[in-house]
Structures are given as structure tokens and as C-alpha cells.
Amino acid sequence: MIPTQSQPQPESSISARDLYARLLGYARPYWRMFALSIAGMLVFAVTEPLFAALIKPLLDGSFVERDLETVRLMPFLLVGLFVVRGIAGFINTYCLKWVGRRVVTDLRQQMFDHLLHAPTRYFDTHGSGQILAKLTYNVENVANASTSALTTIVRDGFTALALLIYMLYLDAKLAAIFLFIGPTTAFAIKYATKKFRRYSKRIQERVGSLTHVAQEAIDAHRVIKAFGGQAQEREQFRAVNEKTRALQMKMVATEAVSVPLVQLISAIAIGIVVYLSTMQGLRSDITVGSFMSFVVAMGLLLPPVKRLTSINSHLQRGIIAAESLFELLDSPTEPDTGTRTLTRAQGRIDYVDISHSYAADKGLVIEGLNLSIAAGESLALVGRSGSGKSTLANLLPRFYEPCAGCILLDGIDIRELRLACLREQLSLVTQDVVLFNDTIANNIAYGHPRAVTRAEIEAAAAGAHALAFIRALPQGFDTPIGDRGVLLSGGQRQRLAIARAMLKDAPILILDEATSALDTEAERHIQAALQTLMRARTTLVIAHRLSTIEQVDRVVVLDQGRVIEQGSHAELLAQGGYYAHLRQLQFNQTPATAA
Ligand SMILES: Nc1ncnc2c1ncn2[C@@H]1O[C@H](COP(=O)(O)OP(=O)(O)OP(=O)(O)O)[C@@H](O)[C@H]1O
Ligand SMILES: [Mg+2]
């Protein structure tokens, strides 16, 4: 590890070797191709000293001994050598890339699968840009860095070794001089490549924030236009963009300085060897051919040695990218240790002493809440914005784990149920409707455990009062709705979400502001449909418009995560508390909007 100077850097707890061992594990299923690639590298490595070796008979044969037979053989040997080298090089590159692409594909798939089971909190704390960068840029980086590092270690390592052995064989004395100078060279080179890791890590983080800023601007393009946020967004993007450039330039500078430096150092080394070899006492009775062959071998040694000394930067780049991948892969998935199953729940729900906080340093959002909902009961949650209504609803499908207390479904702690089984019991229509870039029919049938008939989809759409507008679309139920449903109006989107929930037909229904985007008339219609839907199941309705919840069995008023009032609509009105006050406020406005 590189010692840190001024400011302490977060160093990884895992060693580089562990990381690479783990990465190599991904290549294991493809070991045959991998081995073939290594074999290609070794053959390639051996051709280098052979090339230098050709020089010896060429010079000695033609200029010294005038042996034309040997010289005539040379062109054939030379071409043959390049054919072998070319084939070996191809096998090496192709097979290694083949393995690399497989590993990238596997890693991506594994990361994506992991993401699908990541807890909601993971998405809250990691921006989508950052996660996307992991899945795209960082995976690519890991593959490139580790394949090039491997090539360098094996191919260049062996080339250098083969050349050294050849040099020793040619002239031990000269080779000894060279070996004496070699380590000094390597040491000087190592120093030049030291700064790499720091820059590389920061650049990867930058790329994440670059995507993040851009993505935010793309998603929020309407808000930006409406509020004239262009200047602010431009400035924000310019800042990250510029910082990325500056860092990249630092990395380029480090790289660019180290390359000529390495070459200079190596040239000096060769010069010293040549110079020393001419000195009295050190001079060996070496032939012209051997001497030239030796110098060529030294020259050929340069590029692989240079790459070997800069291997650290490749390794570091790979390590940082790999760390980021493994951070995702090692992050805990949603706890799903429950073993019990329910075919169809009755629908009794008990919140027992529930407290919840989104982060340890933030206050409690729900505080010691107790609430029992009978099977088949419809219950409305009312309260000011931020009082914890959505949170309470989100605890039921275990999107978040409460920090204290437990939730019982039919008297069973929901943690004892298999997660998939628990969620099967719930239909959810949330505040922000999420639709997929697919047809209307597929969006309504999304995630349904069995194949759904068109008639069932149509029935659900009819129940959600979506049939009229769907029929009016050019392709009806087969109309694609665009990315996240942008081609539909807010109210239309909401009706599709309700249709989806109707089709799911789960014993528990959660409607979190499910009709907020509808006009009063459409809401009235849906209200009727929802009434039928609610009849047979436990329903949790969250609504700001109190006119929509008059029919529910019980109203619970939340404030700062506590129940402050509960009872039927009539009881609460009679009580004259918060609910009655709120109702009064809205009632005064209602005639204007409802008319
Ligand atoms: N994912 C989250 N991470 C951190 N804090 C959150 C998160 N979601 C909600 N909160 C906080 O928890 C509190 C309760 O939020 P919640 O969404 O439950 O309110 P709500 O009653 O549904 O409000 P609204 O009527 O506006 O939808 C708020 O103070 C909010 O800032
Ligand atoms: Mg809410």
C-alpha cells in the first residue's frame, strides 16, 4: 500500500491479492480458454529471444565466416518466426478477451440480480447515477485492467525472463553488468508511477457524479425549464466536468512523465553496458554476431520491462474499480430469513410498538405506534405532510425494517414469512406511479404470477375506469406508453396503477394517494370501483382529500409518527379535534373545486 502523505485516504480493508483472487474466481469456469491464452503468451514470449538469436548467425555467417548457406536460411526462419509469433499473439489476445467478456457479462448479471434484491435503503443512499456507473464504467474498468495486468505479468514477465536467460547464455559477464544496473532502473521507474492510484480513484468517483448530475438534469428537464434552472444546472455540470478534466489531466501528466522517464533510464542502462563492455578487463572475447545479438536483446527487453514497471497503475485501477463492484455485491440483500408461507391471508394487521427512523442520526419518524386493523376493515390514514403515513405503509411490505417493534399479519410476525409470500398478499398503489416502457396490457399485468387473459386485463381496466381512454388510443391495450409512461397523463397513469392492483387481487390493499391526480369526476367513478374492491379485503387508504375517505370504517390521524385521534368519520367530526378542523378547512374549499 502506498503511504499517504498529507490527508488520510480511505484505504481498502481487503488486499489487492484477495481482490484479484476473487476476480480470478470469475474466470474459473472458463479455465480452458484462459489456459489457451496463457499458452499463447508463453509461445509469444519465447519468440523474442529467438528473434535476437537470429542476428548472431546472420552477422557471423555473412560478414565473418562468409557462410552463405546459413544466410540463405535466414529469411525463411525470420518469416516462420513471425508466423508463429502472430498465431501465438492472436490466440493470446482473442482467448483472454473472450474470457474477459464472459467475466464482464457474468459480473453485470450478478450485480443486476443483486440490485433487484437490494434493500430500499441502498437505493436511498446511493444515487442511481453512481449505481449505473458501477454497472457500466467500473465493470469495464475491472475487465480491462485485469486483462492488461495479466498480459503484462505473464507475457512481458516471460519475455523478459527469456531474454535475460538468452543474454546470460551469450555472455555471462555482460549479462552480470546488465543485471546489476537493472534493479536500479526498476526502482527509479517505480517512483514515477506512484501517484496513479489516488487520481484513478477520484476519477471514478467523478464519473459517478458526472452521470448523476446529467441524469438529474435529464429527469428534471421540465422543472428546469419552468423554474429557469438552466444557469444553475449548467454551472453544476461545468464544475464536475471541469474537475473531471483536471483530474484526468493529472493522470495523463503522471503517465506521460513516467513513459519518457522510463525510456531515458533504460537507455542510460544500455549505454552503461555498452560502455563497460569496451573497457579493458571487462572485455570478453565475444564475436560481432554475439555482441550485436546481445544489444538487440537488451533493446527488446525495454518495452516489456517498461510495461512491467507500470503494471502497478493497471493493478490499482483494477483494484479501485473492483472494490466498487464488490461494495455492491457485498452489500447485504433484503433479509429474507422467514420460512412460513400463507396461501391467502385473512388480512388482520397489527402494528405493535413500532418505532422507525430512516437513519441513526435522524429522529424517529414513527414513535411507539400501536395499531390493529381487523381483517376486511378499511382504514384511512390522515395527517399532515411528513407525519409518517407513507412510512407506515412502507413498513408492511418490508421496504424498510422498523428499528423497534413488530408487525403481525394474521398474528404472524411478518419477518417469519417468506418475503415473496408476504408481498404476494399486498397490492400497492403508491404516491408516484411507476410504469414500465411497455404496452398498456403488459403494464397492467406486470409481475402477475400466472399468464393473464386479455379479458381479465380488460376487466381490471374497466374497474379502474381506464377502459374508455385505453380504447381511444390508436392501438388500444397494445399501445406502448413510453419511458415511465410519459405518453400518458398523470390521471391515466394512476388509473393503470389501480388496474394493476385490481388485477393482482391481493387480500390487502394499500392506496397511498392513489387518486390524487384524478379530477373529481374520475375520482368519484373510481371511488365506486374502489369501494367494491375494498369490500372483500383489508385496505389502508392514505389521502389528503378527506372527501375521498368518508366511506372507510375507521380514520386514524397521525402526527409526528403518533396516533393522535381515531374513530369513524362521524365520531371524529363530533369530537371536534384535528380531523374536524381539517375537514372544515377542506369543506370550505370543496364547493369551488367540485362544482
Ligand atoms: N427514504 C427516506 N429516507 C429518509 N427519510 C425519509 C424517507 N422517506 C421519508 N422520510 C422522512 O420521514 C418523514 C415521514 O415521511 P412520510 O413519507 O412517511 O410522510 P407522509 O406522511 O407520507 O407525508 P406526505 O403526506 O407528504 O406523503 C418525513 O420527515 C421524511 O422527511
Ligand atoms: Mg406520503
Side-chain angles (χ1 to χ4, degrees):
M1 295 280 144
I2 305 158
T4 47
Q5 294 98 24
S6 51
Q7 89 201 84
Q9 267 179 262
E11 285 289 333
S12 61
S13 48
I14 356 164
S15 76
R17 195 193 298 168
D18 291 345
L19 275 177
Y20 272 92
R22 194 165 165 188
L23 272 180
L24 218 54
Y26 284 89
R28 187 170 302 140
Y30 313 113
W31 69 271
R32 282 193 187 85
M33 276 302 231
F34 196 75
L36 205 59
S37 167
I38 301 281
M41 289 186 200
L42 297 185
V43 173
F44 188 93
V46 174
T47 58
E48 291 273 302
L50 285 181
F51 184 67
L54 276 184
I55 304 289
K56 185 172 135 74
L58 187 70
L59 287 179
D60 285 348
S62 59
F63 297 108
V64 183
E65 288 158 19
R66 313 227 167 250
D67 171 9
L68 273 181
E69 280 306 302
T70 318
V71 177
R72 279 209 187 103
L73 220 64
M74 285 301 122
F76 297 103
L77 284 176
L78 198 68
V79 171
L81 198 58
F82 270 96
V83 168
V84 172
R85 186 186 162 89
I87 293 171
F90 172 80
I91 290 175
N92 155 208
T93 312
Y94 182 82
C95 294
L96 194 61
K97 291 273 178 203
W98 188 91
V99 174
R101 292 332 295 175
R102 292 276 166 162
V103 170
V104 165
T105 313
D106 291 353
L107 264 171
R108 284 212 173 114
Q109 192 65 48
Q110 201 187 1
M111 286 168 76
F112 190 78
D113 293 350
H114 193 94
L115 271 179
L116 291 178
H117 294 283
T120 314
R121 174 158 306 176
Y122 189 85
F123 296 95
D124 289 350
T125 49
H126 296 69
S128 59
Q130 203 187 340
I131 298 176
L132 282 178
K134 277 182 205 285
L135 209 57
T136 53
Y137 181 78
N138 288 358
V139 177
E140 216 52 62
N141 252 358
V142 167
N144 291 342
S146 42
T147 46
S148 67
L150 189 76
T151 309
T152 305
I153 290 174
V154 179
R155 189 159 106 177
D156 291 334
F158 259 91
T159 305
L161 191 70
L163 283 168
L164 274 176
I165 291 172
Y166 177 66
M167 282 156 76
L168 271 169
Y169 158 79
L170 270 183
D171 192 296
K173 218 186 266 178
L174 278 181
I177 298 171
F178 183 80
L179 276 181
F180 181 69
I181 296 162
T184 327
T185 320
F187 208 73
I189 288 165
K190 201 180 166 196
Y191 181 78
T193 50
K194 206 170 157 184
K195 282 198 167 165
F196 234 85
R197 181 176 191 178
R198 221 172 40 211
Y199 294 140
S200 180
K201 179 162 191 158
R202 276 198 245 146
I203 283 175
Q204 279 180 18
E205 285 166 0
R206 281 277 146 221
V207 170
S209 47
L210 202 75
T211 346
H212 180 74
V213 172
Q215 197 186 17
E216 228 172 46
I218 293 164
D219 289 347
H221 66 105
R222 281 174 222 272
V223 182
I224 294 171
K225 282 179 190 145
F227 289 86
Q230 282 97 343
Q232 189 183 335
E233 292 297 324
R234 187 192 306 119
E235 182 47 39
Q236 205 179 348
F237 190 79
R238 199 199 57 77
V240 226
N241 205 7
E242 175 58 25
K243 266 196 188 143
T244 315
R245 186 201 61 81
L247 269 177
Q248 217 118 36
M249 277 322 292
K250 277 189 183 164
M251 193 146 110
V252 166
T254 330
E255 237 169 348
V257 165
S258 72
V259 169
L261 202 66
V262 168
Q263 285 173 345
L264 180 68
I265 296 166
S266 318
I268 292 173
I270 292 181
I272 293 175
V273 173
V274 174
Y275 182 78
L276 284 180
S277 65
T278 61
M279 280 169 66
Q280 211 47 261
L282 285 174
R283 192 160 45 191
S284 47
D285 42 5
I286 190 170
T287 66
V288 183
S290 294
F291 185 74
M292 275 320 288
S293 185
F294 190 90
V295 172
V296 167
M298 264 199 300
L300 286 177
L301 203 53
L302 268 183
V305 164
K306 191 193 79 188
R307 283 194 293 267
L308 277 170
T309 51
S310 64
I311 186 160
N312 205 35
S313 68
H314 286 297
L315 287 173
Q316 297 305 355
R317 213 188 306 206
I319 287 169
I320 293 155
E323 269 174 7
S324 142
L325 302 193
F326 292 140
E327 184 270 334
L328 168 64
L329 287 176
D330 294 339
S331 68
T333 47
E334 290 182 299
D336 187 11
T337 50
T339 49
R340 300 181 65 169
T341 53
L342 283 171
T343 35
R344 189 175 172 91
Q346 300 289 311
R348 181 185 165 80
I349 302 166
D350 298 275
Y351 288 89
V352 185
D353 287 326
I354 289 288
S355 291
H356 183 68
S357 140
Y358 281 100
D361 53 340
K362 284 203 198 149
L364 288 177
V365 175
I366 305 284
E367 263 187 272
L369 181 135
N370 283 290
L371 184 65
S372 292
I373 309 166
E377 188 182 2
S378 58
L379 183 121
L381 282 177
V382 181
R384 61 180 105 237
S385 186
S387 54
K389 306 182 294 294
S390 296
T391 306
L392 211 54
N394 283 336
L395 291 177
L396 205 51
R398 293 182 69 196
F399 291 158
Y400 299 93
E401 298 291 322
C403 50
C406 62
I407 301 172
L408 311 178
L409 173 61
D410 288 0
I412 305 168
D413 189 329
I414 55 173
R415 283 169 295 192
E416 288 173 19
L417 290 170
R418 289 189 34 234
L419 207 52
C421 171
L422 166 69
R423 290 175 181 169
E424 254 167 46
Q425 313 299 324
L426 308 164
S427 266
L428 189 68
V429 183
T430 51
Q431 253 170 324
D432 27 44
V433 175
V434 181
L435 296 174
F436 298 88
N437 194 356
D438 204 340
T439 62
I440 289 196
N442 288 342
N443 264 291
I444 294 177
Y446 183 78
H448 210 278
R450 58 178 173 81
V452 189
T453 64
R454 182 50 65 94
E456 287 174 291
I457 294 176
E458 284 180 13
H465 285 256
L467 213 47
F469 92 80
I470 296 172
R471 288 255 162 86
L473 290 169
Q475 290 156 270
F477 277 90
D478 297 312
T479 312
I481 55 166
D483 198 10
R484 277 169 295 164
V486 284
L487 305 181
L488 299 176
S489 80
Q492 290 169 339
R493 281 205 287 267
Q494 217 158 38
R495 274 179 277 178
L496 288 193
I498 292 170
R500 188 191 280 165
M502 286 192 166
L503 187 63
K504 187 172 177 187
D505 187 34
I508 297 165
L509 181 65
I510 302 171
L511 303 169
D512 189 349
E513 295 285 343
T515 54
S516 60
L518 300 182
D519 60 79
T520 317
E521 197 190 329
E523 189 169 33
R524 288 249 166 86
H525 281 300
I526 289 199
Q527 212 62 48
L530 287 178
Q531 287 306 324
T532 5
L533 191 66
M534 281 153 80
R535 209 170 292 146
R537 59 206 87 219
T538 313
T539 318
L540 203 63
V541 193
I542 300 172
H544 280 292
R545 255 192 273 173
L546 300 185
S547 56
T548 60
I549 54 160
E550 282 171 11
Q551 312 298 324
V552 300
D553 301 327
R554 184 157 52 122
V555 177
V556 169
V557 182
L558 279 189
D559 191 40
Q560 300 188 342
R562 292 171 211 251
V563 177
I564 53 166
E565 283 172 29
Q566 58 175 310
S568 71
H569 172 70
E571 282 167 10
L572 287 183
L573 279 187
Q575 215 172 311
Y578 177 81
Y579 182 80
H581 170 68
L582 204 64
R583 165 82 195 170
Q584 187 60 37
L585 280 179
Q586 288 192 5
F587 191 69
N588 288 341
Q589 304 170 344
T590 317
T593 42

